Amino acid sequence: EVQLVESGGGLVQPGGSLRLSCAASGFTFSSYSMNWVRQAPGKGLEWVSYISSSSSTIYYADSVKGRFTISRDNAKNSLYLQMNSLRDEDTAVYYCARIQVLPRGGFDYWGQGTLVTVSS
Amino acid sequence: DIQMTQSPSSLSASVGDRVTITCRASQSISSYLNWYQQKPGKAPKLLIYAASSLQSGVPSRFSGSGSGTDFTLTISSLQPEDFATYYCQQSYSTPEVTFGPGTKVDIK
């Protein structure tokens, strides 16, 4: 069974940092590209970042570029999101999501999400 | 950037109703359009990919159609477990995908 389990969320002050993790199981993690998607309270879904299976290709949404860093460790079946210079507007539930293995596929598995609250 | 819009933003329907949700892209995205269902406090679930392909395990009452800029998600006979928010997503510009604003389906 495919499972994605996020951790690392919490309360942080503006300007602070946080590192999210996503532990993958039930599939060959090293074969799949992965994403982070967030959802602010009561709002819609916002794509945050993408990393290819080998980490050779990385993309960020403009809203987080220069502040967030995505990475992965295929030996540990884990995905990460380092978030620096956090702002109030980064408050959201953060999901890791797997991309289907087909050209321009959808996100076929999602974690349960981890809540990040940026507040003083 | 490709912008996505959905209509309506919300709708009220009864069990057994046929429900249609529309999604429009700001430019042609071919058939690279996916639909998700999200229930309160839960992660989104992929329902339809590539505009009209049913994701494994998803009931056949869900169907998708369209290409280019205009797409629809249809629920042929609404069931109690279908009350949720539905999002479209364009994957034409993968990996920089964008989601629609969502359509909330609630009980009439």
Side-chain angles (χ1 to χ4, degrees), chain A residues 4-74:
Chain A
L4 297 170
V5 180
E6 300 95 338
S7 60
L11 175 64
V12 61
Q13 292 187 337
S17 298
L18 215 52
R19 189 195 196 206
L20 306 183
S21 299
C22 171
S25 61
F27 66 103
T28 305
F29 180 70
S30 59
S31 296
Y32 288 83
S33 299
M34 299 292 295
N35 295 267
W36 288 98
V37 177
R38 69 183 180 184
Q39 186 170 37
K43 302 298 184 182
L45 301 168
E46 179 189 16
W47 170 77
V48 172
S49 185
Y50 161 96
I51 187 167
S52 62
S53 57
S54 64
S55 304
S56 60
T57 303
I58 287 174
Y59 283 82
Y60 299 98
D62 287 344
S63 57
V64 307
K65 202 171 294 182
R67 301 187 299 121
F68 289 12
T69 302
I70 192 172
S71 63
R72 64 190 295 162
D73 185 336
N74 286 342

Side-chain angles (χ1 to χ4, degrees), chain A residues 65-85:
Chain A
K65 202 171 294 182
R67 301 187 299 121
F68 289 12
T69 302
I70 192 172
S71 63
R72 64 190 295 162
D73 185 336
N74 286 342
K76 294 184 177 180
N77 292 335
S78 293
L79 175 71
Y80 306 102
L81 186 68
Q82 177 67 43
M83 304 186 295
N84 298 331
S85 304

Side-chain angles (χ1 to χ4, degrees), chain A residues 35 37 39 43-47 50 59-60 62 65 95 99-100 102-112, chain B residues 1 29 32 34 36 38 41-46 49-50 55 87 89 91-101:
Chain A
N35 295 267
V37 177
Q39 186 170 37
K43 302 298 184 182
L45 301 168
E46 179 189 16
W47 170 77
Y50 161 96
Y59 283 82
Y60 299 98
D62 287 344
K65 202 171 294 182
Y95 298 100
I99 294 183
Q100 290 177 298
L102 55 88
R104 306 183 194 183
F107 296 179
D108 60 352
Y109 284 94
W110 299 62
Q112 85 288 352
Chain B
D1 290 6
I29 57 170
Y32 297 109
N34 311 301
Y36 298 85
Q38 187 179 35
K42 300 295 186 182
K45 173 187 175 183
L46 179 64
Y49 63 94
Q55 175 68 355
Y87 295 92
Q89 175 209 35
S91 52
Y92 177 84
S93 61
T94 291
E96 296 173 294
V97 301
T98 47
F99 293 89

